[in-house]
Amino acid sequence: MNTLHLRNREVPWILIRKNIRHLYARVKPEGYIQVTAPKHTRLAEAEAFLVQVGDRLLARFDSLSAPSPEVGDAVPVWGIRIPCVAEPGRSQPEMKEGILRLPVDGSGKPDAEALEWFFGHLILQEIPTLLAKRNLPSADGWNLQGITYKTQRMTSRLGSCQTVRRIIKLNTVLGRFDRRYLEAVLLHELCHLRVPDHGPRFYRLLESFVPDYRILRKELRAMVKTVGR
């Protein structure tokens, strides 16, 4: 088993050479990447290929551990438990008549990836409301123009900020808890646009908006463990 440092993560992978023309990579349920490549492919070539498709592979890694709700299970949405059912033939999730209705996956269960899409959609819809609440678009020193917001189920982070590209990514798990936790994580990442590191200046800025940030972070990390990753 090989190990590749990919996007600040150590990812296990194996190389299988076959009589084929192109390279393929897939994430195995056991938690590693299998690269299938032409017979004469060198290890370095396979590693370069993995780096090229790394974002897709890591997204798949993160979705592997997303829990699949059973039919009739209650799913927390903004901290309120909502009944969840799978409906054959449904193409996307929908909250209807107080029930979260999900597409069916290949095994007949509610589709876990569709559930994460639902939470991601909720989060993206909520961001403008949270920004308006804090009056950030017009606050001194803030420039919120050109920010791209994305969501993804992540295993090790609640959020991330690419300061140069102005991309903020939020973990879809945040849609399961009270909105104040999403607000705290969102403000954390926005503060990185002004202070890239986690030094004293960063926390002074963050805690000027969220005085109890450290308490909220501790509570949130404990709650995330009960959901599973």
Side-chain angles (χ1 to χ4, degrees), residues 62 116 119-120 123 150-160 168-177 182 185 189 224 228-229:
D62 290 335
E116 296 309 318
F119 283 122
I123 289 169
K150 297 183 178 182
T151 61
Q152 179 184 323
R153 184 63 187 267
M154 295 181 275
T155 59
S156 59
R157 294 184 176 184
L158 294 170
S160 66
I168 288 178
K169 187 178 293 185
L170 298 165
N171 194 329
T172 53
V173 76
L174 294 168
R176 292 163 167 83
F177 310 120
L182 168 62
V185 175
E189 302 309 334
V224 167
R229 295 240 183 178

Side-chain angles (χ1 to χ4, degrees), residues 11 34 62-63 111 148:
V11 179
Q34 176 179 301
D62 290 335
S63 69
D111 192 311
T148 299

Side-chain angles (χ1 to χ4, degrees), residues 181-218:
Y181 297 103
L182 168 62
E183 183 178 19
V185 175
L186 173 62
L187 287 165
H188 178 118
E189 302 309 334
L190 285 170
C191 284
H192 277 309
L193 295 175
R194 296 182 62 179
V195 185
D197 58 41
H198 285 102
R201 180 168 166 254
F202 171 81
Y203 280 104
R204 283 196 300 270
L205 176 63
L206 176 56
E207 290 174 356
S208 70
F209 290 100
V210 192
D212 56 348
Y213 173 78
R214 297 173 195 266
I215 296 174
L216 291 174
R217 181 179 61 183
K218 184 177 180 180

Side-chain angles (χ1 to χ4, degrees), residues 15-48:
L15 175 61
I16 297 178
R17 297 179 177 89
K18 292 185 176 181
N19 187 24
I20 56 177
R21 296 179 61 184
H22 303 288
L23 285 84
Y24 302 92
R26 62 178 298 192
V27 176
K28 304 292 286 184
E30 294 81 4
Y32 65 90
I33 298 173
Q34 176 179 301
V35 177
T36 309
K39 287 186 175 180
H40 301 294
T41 300
R42 293 175 299 168
L43 201 64
E45 293 174 314
E47 287 184 343

Side-chain angles (χ1 to χ4, degrees), residues 81-225:
R81 298 191 70 79
I82 304 295
C84 171
V85 298
E87 294 183 345
R90 175 172 288 280
S91 60
Q92 64 182 26
E94 180 185 16
M95 185 82 77
K96 185 177 180 182
E97 299 174 349
I99 298 175
L100 177 55
R101 304 172 188 274
L102 294 173
V104 179
D105 66 13
S107 64
K109 295 182 178 181
D111 192 311
E113 292 187 9
L115 179 62
E116 296 309 318
W117 178 92
F118 169 77
F119 283 122
H121 185 65
L122 278 186
I123 289 169
L124 293 177
Q125 285 186 314
E126 190 68 16
I127 288 173
T129 301
L130 296 178
L131 294 179
K133 173 184 174 183
R134 294 288 181 166
N135 198 32
L136 283 186
S138 58
D140 291 341
W142 287 92
N143 175 17
L144 303 187
Q145 299 299 315
I147 299 175
T148 299
Y149 296 99
K150 297 183 178 182
T151 61
Q152 179 184 323
R153 184 63 187 267
M154 295 181 275
T155 59
S156 59
R157 294 184 176 184
L158 294 170
S160 66
C161 178
Q162 298 180 33
T163 56
V164 175
R165 300 175 63 191
R166 296 178 68 79
I167 296 175
I168 288 178
K169 187 178 293 185
L170 298 165
N171 194 329
T172 53
V173 76
L174 294 168
R176 292 163 167 83
F177 310 120
D178 189 281
R179 289 172 174 84
R180 68 179 182 273
Y181 297 103
L182 168 62
E183 183 178 19
V185 175
L186 173 62
L187 287 165
H188 178 118
E189 302 309 334
L190 285 170
C191 284
H192 277 309
L193 295 175
R194 296 182 62 179
V195 185
D197 58 41
H198 285 102
R201 180 168 166 254
F202 171 81
Y203 280 104
R204 283 196 300 270
L205 176 63
L206 176 56
E207 290 174 356
S208 70
F209 290 100
V210 192
D212 56 348
Y213 173 78
R214 297 173 195 266
I215 296 174
L216 291 174
R217 181 179 61 183
K218 184 177 180 180
E219 292 175 350
L220 180 56
R221 292 194 179 280
M223 291 188 298
V224 167
K225 291 179 181 179

Side-chain angles (χ1 to χ4, degrees), residues 4 6-7 23 45-57:
L4 178 66
L6 189 62
R7 312 292 193 269
L23 285 84
E45 293 174 314
E47 287 184 343
F49 173 69
L50 286 177
V51 171
Q52 182 180 355
V53 298
D55 288 338
R56 173 178 64 83
L57 294 171

